[in-house]
Amino acid sequence: EDRLAALGPVDFAFDTWELTHEARAVLDENARWLKANPEVTVQVGGHADERGTPEYNLALGERRAKRVREYLIDQGVPADTLDTVSYGEEVPLAASHDEAAWSRNRRAEFNHSDGRQVSDTQARTPRS
């Protein structure tokens, strides 16, 4: 059983790295788990949808990952257990070119420190 599967991914609105109320609720749960498991190091991966240049989307993914990391640190998670990486638009969950797909692709998720995915983002249902 993968212990890190307990960490939920968070979604973002278009062209922002601001955390929604829903994202903060997910991150609060993640923070509780991470504080209870301080030996675990995770990588926060930031993602963007395909709109914008690849360079812009890499920067946006980085801002999202760093914002999630900052929030978790503010909640008491040790900084040295959290790394960040940006995937920009390169690892989409949905390949369609419409708002339903784009909304699924704007996210931050948690990976093993070696980059293996642990968030169960594949199983999430599209939002309306």
Side-chain angles (χ1 to χ4, degrees):
E1 178 181 356
D2 191 345
R3 296 182 332 143
L4 294 183
L7 300 176
V10 295
D11 298 317
F12 290 88
F14 175 68
D15 198 29
T16 186
W17 55 93
E18 294 301 317
L19 297 172
T20 64
H21 175 74
E22 294 82 10
R24 290 173 190 270
V26 169
L27 292 175
D28 289 343
E29 288 297 316
N30 289 355
R32 280 190 272 285
W33 190 92
L34 288 165
K35 289 188 294 186
N37 295 277
E39 73 286 357
V40 174
T41 300
V42 298
Q43 182 184 76
V44 181
H47 299 264
D49 64 37
E50 66 186 19
R51 296 173 290 177
T53 65
E55 296 81 10
Y56 181 83
N57 289 334
L58 276 173
L60 182 57
E62 181 177 351
R63 288 184 192 104
R64 289 173 173 167
K66 286 184 175 182
R67 181 64 188 107
V68 166
R69 182 179 186 270
E70 291 167 1
Y71 185 86
L72 291 171
I73 291 169
D74 288 347
Q75 301 309 306
V77 176
D80 63 350
T81 65
L82 299 167
D83 296 321
T84 61
V85 64
S86 175
Y87 295 103
E89 64 189 70
E90 298 302 315
V91 188
L93 287 178
S96 298
H97 307 287
D98 56 28
E99 184 55 43
W102 295 329
S103 69
R104 292 191 69 210
N105 293 335
R106 297 186 303 256
R107 68 197 190 281
E109 59 191 8
F110 295 85
N111 302 313
H112 289 274
S113 57
D114 64 6
R116 289 181 294 131
Q117 182 176 329
V118 294
S119 298
D120 190 17
T121 54
Q122 298 288 342
R124 292 190 300 161
T125 57
R127 294 169 309 204
S128 52

